[in-house]
Structure formats: C-alpha cells, structure tokens
C-alpha cells in the first residue's frame, strides 16, 4: 500500500488550532498514515493522539519546524507531492493516474494563504472545486476519491471503543 | 431542484468561529442553498457573505436564535431532516433513496456534542464513517455523494472573479 502523509502549512497559532485539529482527524479517519504539523501548538498533536489512542489505528501526528527538507526527501525517495489548492487543476482529471502510480503521497494542506513555493515544489497543484471553502473539506474529498469510498468502512485496529451504527441515539461497544 | 439548507448547532462563541465559517463555505461550495447559524457571531455570517459576493451564486447565511421551530416547519412542509453524526447509519446505505425522494433537505451539523433532541427530531441520523473527524468533512462528503461529484464543476452566477485552473501558480479572471 502506498503511504500517505499530510503536511499542514501556514498554521497560525491559536487562531487555527481547531481547524488544524480537524485536518489531523480527517487525515486519520479518511485513511492517511501521518500528519506533520508545522509550527503548531503541541496541544493539537496531543488531541489527535488521544483520538488515535481511543479509536485505534496507527496514525501519527508530529510537530515539525521544517518543511522544505521533508518535501525534498519525499521526492528523492520517489514519492509524489500534491498541493491541494483552489487554483490547481481539477481533481477528477488526474486522480486515476495518481492512484495508478502506486507512489507514496505527501499532501500539502495550507491554512488561508499557501506559501508561493508550495506551488513550485509540488508535482501536482490540485483543486477540489474552484471555489473557496475549507482545507478540511479538500483533504477529505481528496482521500475519499483516492480510496473510492472504501476508507469509510474500514476498521481501526486496537481501538478501545467502537460504534454500532444506529438509526437513533448513540451506541458504543467496548472493544475486547 | 430540491432545496438544501444547513443548520449549524452547538456553536461555541469565538472558539468555533473559524470551523463554523468553514462549514458555511463548504455548504456553499458543495451546493447547499442556505446556512442557519445558531447563536453565532455576526462576523461569521459577514465572512461567508463576502465570499458569496465575490465568488457568486445565491447562497444565504442567516443568524438565528431558534432551531426547533425551523425543524418543525421543515417537516410540516414535507422536507427531510438529516442529522450528520458518527453514531448514525452508514451514508452509502441510504444516499440513493434520499436523492430519489427529491425532497428538500435540512442538514443538522453539530459542533462537538450534538443536542440529544437532534437524534430524535431527525428523519435520518447519518454517519460519514464511524470515526471522529470533522463536521466540515462530513458535510462536504455528504453533499459530494448527494450531487455525485457534479457540484465541483458547477459555475456560480454573478461572480466578480473566477479561477482559471492552472498546473502552477494562481490565475484569476475578472468576470465580465
């Protein structure tokens, strides 16, 4: 299986904490393996780690202060770098060839303004629609298309609890 | 065309402002017609309205202090109320029958904890996967499945600018 990691750029302290947490949780829930949190409050990593500990799986959150080296190394090892931006080419035009490449993917997810270098350093600048919306939505839609919806039914190993789908109310089961 | 509106519940002042803004922008970008913002800073409405003014379309954002009456009226008029929650039944099991019903949809989107009544007042409690992630992601995935991806290519009338999809950098065109 190709490895999928997310690099969260442009996080502004405090202001973006909750959105960055949502980016991390969406990355995990929709099938990515790791998120790199650039210049981010360690509390955000802590909240993501708590979810992984309770709900299972091997998702990793890392706080980092450097991103250009990460991109360079990723490309040297043959992985693709994909920047999600409303200015890019349409997702549907290239998602099949990205999936078929079977290459590891590093997804660049920016808060409001992407650093100009992100456009140049990436193999693909990809748009999830050409309207302003949300990097959380963009990441979720990308992963949903990449995995063709299968990720929504996959299990997470080692969870302490799991949900029993219910038409009314909340049903939880403690894992054995 | 059925009408789709979003009711944002459980917003906590300041703390959720940015996530609620993302919910509103995702609602607009993925094809909903209106968002009702419960007990929300008018600045959030203002930011969503600014995007609509610049990027086009007829999306409406309204601040409200009452939600039970809205749900009651919606159901009296024959519309469906759909609560997005990780505890619900699987999206894929019912999205086709929801689409085929051709009924207007009111989507309930909660911040961290949904009010217990939301589970009872809704026609469907629907899960976008059974893992904790983000209401922004949940809303985007729901609308993407409902519209079968077509919403990502639709135009927004009356925009002041539009994007020319580009493999590198940002290209904008002023609308005529």
């Amino acid at each position: 299986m190709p490895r999928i990691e997310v690099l969260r750029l442009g996080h502004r302290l405090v202001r973006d904490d909750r959105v960055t947490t949502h980016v991390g949780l969406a990355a995990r829930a929709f099938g990515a393996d790791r998120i790199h949190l650039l210049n981010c409050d360690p509390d955000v990593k802590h909240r993501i780690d708590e979810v992984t500990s309770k709900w299972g799986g091997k998702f990793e959150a890392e706080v980092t202060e450097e991103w250009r080296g990460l991109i360079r190394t990723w490309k040297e090892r043959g992985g693709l770098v994909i920047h999600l931006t409303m200015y890019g080419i349409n997702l549907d035009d290239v998602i099949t060839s990205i999936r078929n490449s079977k290459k590891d993917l590093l997804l660049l997810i920016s808060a409001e303004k992407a650093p100009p270098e992100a456009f140049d350093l990436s193999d693909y600048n990809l748009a999830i629609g050409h309207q302003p919306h949300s990097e959380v939505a963009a990441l979720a839609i990308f992963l949903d298309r990449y995995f063709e919806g299968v990720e929504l039914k996959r299990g997470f190993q080692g969870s302490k609890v799991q949900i029993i789908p219910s038409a009314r109310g909340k049903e939880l089961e403690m894992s054995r």
Side-chain angles (χ1 to χ4, degrees), chain A residues 8-52:
Chain A
R8 167 65 164 170
L9 296 170
H11 176 93
R12 294 152 301 180
L13 284 177
V14 185
R15 185 172 174 191
D16 289 325
D17 280 1
R18 290 194 64 73
V19 171
T20 297
T21 304
H22 283 223
V23 170
L25 296 182
R28 173 185 170 278
F30 289 90
D33 299 291
R34 178 185 288 174
I35 188 168
H36 303 265
L37 302 160
L38 188 69
N39 298 324
C40 186
D41 190 323
D43 271 2
V44 173
K45 167 186 160 52
H46 183 64
R47 280 198 291 274
I48 298 168
D49 286 346
E50 278 180 333
V51 167
T52 302

Side-chain angles (χ1 to χ4, degrees), chain A residues 3-11 20 23-24 27 33-40 45 48 59-67 70-71 74 105-109:
Chain A
R3 193 168 169 78
I4 300 185
E5 301 192 4
V6 173
L7 170 58
R8 167 65 164 170
L9 296 170
H11 176 93
T20 297
V23 170
D33 299 291
R34 178 185 288 174
I35 188 168
H36 303 265
L37 302 160
L38 188 69
N39 298 324
C40 186
K45 167 186 160 52
I48 298 168
F59 188 75
E60 296 167 307
E62 283 188 10
V63 178
T64 177
E65 291 177 10
E66 210 285 313
W67 60 285
L70 175 65
I71 291 178
W74 197 268
L105 307 183
L106 180 64
L107 306 176
L108 309 192
I109 307 292

Side-chain angles (χ1 to χ4, degrees), chain A residues 124-139:
Chain A
Y124 292 93
N125 288 288
L126 266 199
I128 316 298
H130 301 287
Q131 294 290 319
H133 52 85
S134 168
E135 58 267 34
V136 186
L139 175 61

Side-chain angles (χ1 to χ4, degrees), chain A residues 97-169:
Chain A
S97 70
I98 289 173
R99 192 189 304 114
N100 290 347
S101 77
K102 297 195 164 54
K103 291 184 176 176
D104 291 341
L105 307 183
L106 180 64
L107 306 176
L108 309 192
I109 307 292
S110 286
E112 256 169 45
K113 284 207 193 299
E117 284 170 278
F119 290 90
D120 296 324
L121 294 174
S122 301
D123 296 296
Y124 292 93
N125 288 288
L126 266 199
I128 316 298
H130 301 287
Q131 294 290 319
H133 52 85
S134 168
E135 58 267 34
V136 186
L139 175 61
I141 296 284
F142 176 88
L143 291 171
D144 187 57
R145 294 289 170 84
Y146 180 85
F147 288 115
E148 301 181 281
V150 172
E151 82 291 349
L152 288 178
K153 296 194 174 176
R154 99 188 168 124
F156 283 76
Q157 286 201 320
S159 67
K160 292 176 185 155
V161 289
Q162 55 193 39
I163 284 171
I164 305 167
S166 165
R168 300 274 156 218

